[in-house]
Amino acid sequence: CCDSLLRLIKTPEEVFADMRTSLERHGFWRGEISSRSKDGRVISQAVAVSTVRDDDGEISHFVTVMAGLDSLRDDFVTGLPSRQVLDDRLAQAVELSRAGRKAVALLIVGLDDFRDVNETLGHRVGDVVLREAGARLRAIVTEPQTVARIGGDEFAIIVTDAVDPATIDALAEECLRALSEPFEQTTKTLHLTASIGIAMCPDDADSPSQLLSHANQAMRVAKGQGRNLARYFTTAMQAEALQRASIADDLRHAVAEGQLSVVMQPVIELSTGRITKVEALLRWTHPERGPISPAMFIPVAEKSGLIKAIGDKVFADVLEWLARARRISPDMAVSFNMSPVELHDEGARHEDRLRLLALSGIPGRALIVEITEGVLVEQNDITRANVARYRAAGLQFAIDDFGTGYSSLSYLQQLDVDFVKIDRAFVSGLPDSAGDRALCEAIVAMSHGLGLKVIAEGIETDEQRAALAAMRCDFAQGYLFGRPMPGDEVLTLLEEQSGRV
Ligand code: C2E
Ligand code: MG
Ligand code: MG
């Protein structure tokens, strides 16, 4: 290939002849020039030349701008080779491995929660962290291996020699360790972790694109399994990815054919033990596969945008149930989950929902919208307008899964929420874990200080209930009081509670 390429490149004489003609005719020339540097390397430069003429129209001088093409091929933030370079080297490595039966390993290193750093601390801090992360990786990865930055918070490492499990394991371990060291280059000490996906050629893939896609899949799995982990690509992962794709198809039918339903989980007031609210939770019973967890299908629905239509259905079901429940318990409220994708959607759909609410005669305050900390972090004009719409109609807001994200207290005040839901992860450690106890106490105290009520999620034991009651937590939800159940069953409980039965 190199011979034919060389034949396409012009001789210096030809290039200068071109340049002269163009400058005379158009006053401008642009092109690429290769030359040899002092240390013997061939370097390519992009060159632009313009003529400058004096008042008499005579050429007085030329202005030349040169840019090293090789530096354009480096990532601007980290100085590491860019995606383009990685693609080239990966293609080369895969080609060599095909020819010589030598293995290639590709590691994709993704920083966990990096987006939160960018969003909460700004892009400048984000860049500093990326640069440092890149430097740490470069210190580990030595020639002939390549480390490149391939996207927002992702790096890739190509290993072409000593591709044996022990070496790759050690390399992945070392990367994880290096990236979990605190980042002290910014005004704030940051603790980050990374997740690594590994795929091999020829074992897992036979083309660069397949290798990239499989290493990426493995990295997603590492993130899903708790982060700060390295995972090798497996064929089971591939099967699951395919299943996910088929779920996306099936979900479309599920909405049309009414396979989705909404169940209600009681929320009790800790001081009285009475059910004063419920949380509406989606259920999908697949005709062949049986029940599929919302944790599995909600992300798929978000990706395809179907979550918007699904959200409409949840809202309508919630109103219908509330109308019946309030005949038994006039103060009954329902909280329902709203995906960030819904909240980022323009207003029309939300207006439709609020019209439905007005028609029902149910007061807006009987509805609580559950959003996650991520929504607070990603606020924009659309989300703010939507929140304002619901607020104007009297709806209340709760922060779901509080404590698991990266949000700061100031966000709570900015969005002016009514409830904080302590995530099950902290409740499950009660009453024994001193750390979880301190966290729950702090969340309750802080929320009360801001005038917010607290709902604890996932209470399974009486000890957990007692510990939270002692902290003056306001509401509780969990298997101890009731699993998510068909709406009719909650109505029966409400009737029992109100002493009518
Ligand atoms: P979430 O909003 O945090 O809901 C609480 C989850 O904890 C529910 O899982 C509930 O069944 C479970 N749970 C409640 N009490 C206990 C307990 O004592 N122990 C344990 N181990 N688990 C408990 P589920 O129903 O599987 O829902 C999972 C997530 O899916 C929800 O988390 C929510 O984020 C999402 N989701 C559910 N329904 C909807 C919906 O209608 N729209 C949207 N956008 N998301 C939904
Ligand atoms: Mg929820
Ligand atoms: Mg939750």
Side-chain angles (χ1 to χ4, degrees):
C1 84
C2 291
D3 270 338
S4 59
L5 201 66
L6 278 179
R7 258 180 264 121
L8 284 176
I9 295 175
K10 294 182 176 170
T11 62
E13 291 74 22
E14 286 166 334
V15 170
F16 285 117
D18 262 8
M19 191 189 295
R20 201 170 308 119
T21 318
S22 177
L23 285 174
E24 276 164 10
R25 283 200 199 140
H26 314 292
F28 190 75
W29 181 84
R30 189 167 29 203
E32 197 178 318
I33 290 180
S34 295
S35 51
R36 206 170 279 281
S37 68
K38 271 194 210 124
D39 57 7
R41 282 182 312 129
V42 175
I43 47 176
S44 301
Q45 288 185 307
V47 181
V49 190
S50 312
T51 49
V52 178
R53 294 179 188 267
D54 60 22
D55 294 343
D56 306 324
E58 295 296 316
I59 294 177
S60 64
H61 56 280
F62 298 97
V63 176
T64 305
V65 179
M66 291 187 172
L69 285 178
D70 297 313
S71 68
L72 291 178
R73 289 165 62 85
D74 281 348
D75 172 62
F76 182 70
V77 174
T78 59
L80 291 176
S82 64
R83 174 66 195 248
Q84 196 190 347
V85 176
L86 180 99
D87 284 346
D88 290 353
R89 295 203 187 152
L90 199 57
Q92 241 171 30
V94 169
E95 201 53 54
L96 285 176
S97 106
R98 277 199 199 122
R101 308 218 159 275
K102 225 173 123 185
V104 181
L106 178 70
L107 286 74
I108 294 189
V109 183
L111 297 179
D112 299 325
D113 294 321
F114 178 74
R115 201 176 56 176
D116 292 343
V117 173
N118 247 347
E119 302 278 353
T120 53
L121 303 172
H123 289 267
R124 227 157 39 103
V125 173
D127 284 355
V128 172
V129 170
L130 282 175
R131 198 169 307 129
E132 170 64 16
R136 290 184 192 177
L137 292 177
R138 201 198 322 242
I140 296 169
V141 179
T142 47
E143 289 275 337
Q145 338 279 34
T146 301
V147 55
R149 178 170 176 229
I150 56 168
D153 51 9
E154 286 175 11
F155 299 87
I157 301 171
I158 306 174
V159 183
T160 49
D161 64 341
V163 182
D164 59 86
T167 316
I168 303 289
D169 283 351
L171 176 65
E173 266 312 305
E174 212 178 333
C175 293
L176 289 179
R177 197 166 345 106
L179 294 174
S180 63
E181 294 285 323
F183 285 79
E184 308 197 350
Q185 291 70 23
T186 68
T187 47
K188 196 172 164 182
T189 301
L190 290 173
H191 295 270
L192 291 179
T193 54
S195 299
I196 301 182
I198 307 166
M200 311 273 213
C201 174
D203 288 0
D204 304 326
D206 57 10
S207 71
S209 62
Q210 210 175 34
L211 197 55
L212 270 163
S213 132
H214 288 176
N216 235 315
Q217 256 177 45
M219 184 196 64
R220 307 265 157 239
V221 169
K223 282 196 193 278
Q225 290 182 352
R227 297 147 181 223
N228 201 14
L229 293 169
R231 285 289 173 261
Y232 283 86
F233 170 80
T234 63
T235 43
M237 281 179 196
Q238 178 71 354
E240 203 180 300
L242 290 175
Q243 197 187 9
R244 233 171 246 281
S246 93
I247 281 186
D249 279 344
D250 293 355
L251 198 52
R252 219 165 277 283
H253 298 293
V255 177
E257 289 165 19
Q259 292 164 15
L260 296 178
S261 62
V262 174
V263 291
M264 305 291 180
Q265 184 176 31
V267 176
I268 65 121
E269 189 174 42
L270 273 168
S271 59
T272 61
R274 292 173 63 85
I275 302 171
T276 56
K277 309 179 199 312
V278 297
E279 176 173 4
L281 294 160
L282 262 172
R283 292 294 175 263
W284 177 16
T285 311
H286 190 284
E288 284 129 39
R289 289 193 210 150
I292 297 182
S293 156
M296 174 77 170
F297 74 80
I298 299 255
V300 177
E302 288 178 329
K303 220 170 179 176
S304 67
L306 258 182
I307 191 69
K308 299 173 190 172
I310 294 176
D312 288 344
K313 183 220 161 24
V314 172
F315 192 82
D317 282 14
V318 162
L319 289 184
E320 202 178 298
W321 185 85
L322 253 181
R324 296 162 66 201
R326 287 172 70 88
R327 277 182 227 129
I328 308 166
S329 300
D331 290 329
M332 182 52 57
V334 178
S335 70
F336 62 102
N337 298 280
M338 192 177 291
S339 151
V341 176
E342 287 174 77
L343 215 54
H344 277 106
D345 193 30
E346 299 284 349
R349 148 169 281 113
H350 302 289
E351 297 286 355
D352 286 348
R353 290 184 190 173
L354 290 175
R355 253 192 298 281
L356 213 58
L357 171 68
L359 281 175
S360 74
I362 296 168
R365 77 186 127 76
L367 291 168
I368 302 163
V369 186
E370 293 193 9
I371 54 179
T372 51
E373 290 166 280
V375 172
L376 300 180
V377 173
E378 289 160 27
Q379 288 184 75
N380 60 25
D381 289 347
I382 296 178
T383 57
R384 269 187 283 267
N386 284 331
V387 170
R389 254 186 204 102
Y390 284 113
R391 275 229 165 271
L395 279 81
Q396 305 189 77
F397 279 81
I399 301 297
D400 204 354
D401 309 335
F402 189 78
T404 56
Y406 209 97
S407 76
S408 69
L409 300 185
S410 64
Y411 283 116
L412 278 184
Q413 257 182 324
Q414 271 178 39
L415 213 119
D416 158 41
V417 297
D418 307 275
F419 298 93
V420 165
K421 297 191 79 168
I422 305 183
D423 192 71
R424 180 155 54 92
F426 308 113
V427 170
S428 66
L430 297 180
D432 299 331
S433 153
D436 287 341
R437 228 176 26 240
L439 256 163
C440 289
E441 270 169 8
I443 295 175
V444 173
M446 170 200 86
S447 303
H448 285 172
L450 290 168
L452 317 177
K453 298 264 192 243
V454 184
I455 305 171
E457 296 187 285
I459 288 142
E460 295 181 353
T461 68
D462 199 54
E463 287 77 30
Q464 291 168 346
R465 183 203 56 78
L468 286 155
M471 293 174 195
R472 314 188 70 84
C473 174
D474 307 280
F475 301 96
Q477 175 183 353
Y479 295 168
L480 178 68
F481 313 106
R483 295 200 171 234
M485 56 185 100
D488 285 352
E489 288 179 27
V490 183
L491 292 182
T492 309
L493 292 179
L494 293 182
E495 274 168 354
E496 282 168 8
Q497 179 172 283
S498 69
R500 283 209 207 152
V501 172

